[in-house]
Amino acid sequence: MYESGENMSESIKVLLPEEELDKRIRELGAQISEDFAGEEVLMVCILKGASFFACELAKRITVPMSIDFMATSSYGAGTVSSGEVKIKKDLDLSVEGKNVLIVEDIIDSGHTLHFLSELFSTRHAKSIKLCAMLDKPERREVDVTMDYVGFTIPDAFVVGYGLDYDQKYRNLPYIGVVELNG
């Protein structure tokens, strides 16, 4: 259990330990490599949350790949998606004619991945596949078909392994549930 140093206002309970995350990321890397055999892939990592997951996943993909980063926002400092997706940093590389693998930390409402799928389609990507470390299907507001999912989790606010609570806890080596006290 991790406790905040600031007023002890929240604590973190481990949901997915580091070993379990590592095992599943290896499996996803193998599946993606098999699915894209003989092809090249452009991995698009959605910052900041997916950076930990994307780096570990990239090390386990065996097909030729490049990586680019995009920053979007639909949360601000809150814990619930606003539904409005804003691009804070666009890609440096073109997706035109490329197999695009969008890597996200978590899919809950579905707004971000739906928005990005539509955007990359208008930019003429050859194919678009969606990968998320975590899926919260109970929170879905927009129909999005996931190609690769690490874990399906309950509707709880999670942190660690890149996921944050107001920019804190990204550095935890596991996925934990935030328990607000008071």
Side-chain angles (χ1 to χ4, degrees), residues 30-159:
Q31 184 63 55
I32 291 165
S33 298
E34 182 179 315
D35 291 352
F36 286 101
E39 298 276 336
E40 290 187 27
V41 176
L42 170 59
M43 177 188 282
V44 175
C45 172
I46 307 305
L47 296 172
K48 299 176 186 171
S51 60
F52 287 62
F53 173 52
C55 288
E56 291 301 315
L57 182 62
K59 292 190 296 188
R60 290 155 176 90
I61 294 175
T62 58
V63 298
M65 64 168 281
S66 52
I67 188 167
D68 202 351
F69 300 89
M70 186 172 214
T72 63
S73 177
S74 66
Y75 281 86
T79 61
V80 179
S81 175
S82 68
E84 181 183 347
V85 179
K86 297 177 184 172
I87 296 175
K88 296 170 82 175
K89 182 221 175 288
D90 208 339
L91 298 174
D92 295 324
L93 302 173
S94 170
V95 300
E96 187 171 348
K98 296 181 181 170
N99 295 309
V100 176
L101 176 66
I102 303 172
V103 178
E104 182 65 288
D105 52 3
I106 189 166
I107 177 171
D108 50 22
S109 69
H111 289 288
T112 300
L113 289 176
H114 177 77
F115 173 83
L116 293 174
S117 294
E118 295 289 317
L119 177 66
F120 294 160
S121 180
T122 65
R123 292 181 179 180
H124 308 288
K126 178 179 177 183
S127 69
I128 302 166
K129 299 286 186 180
L130 305 177
C131 178
M133 179 172 57
L134 304 174
D135 183 8
K136 283 193 209 175
E138 295 171 33
R139 305 261 311 165
R140 202 77 79 246
E141 295 174 7
V142 178
D143 188 29
V144 177
T145 302
M146 296 302 299
D147 299 289
Y148 309 100
V149 172
F151 299 91
T152 300
I153 62 169
D155 184 13
F157 194 75
V158 291
V159 296

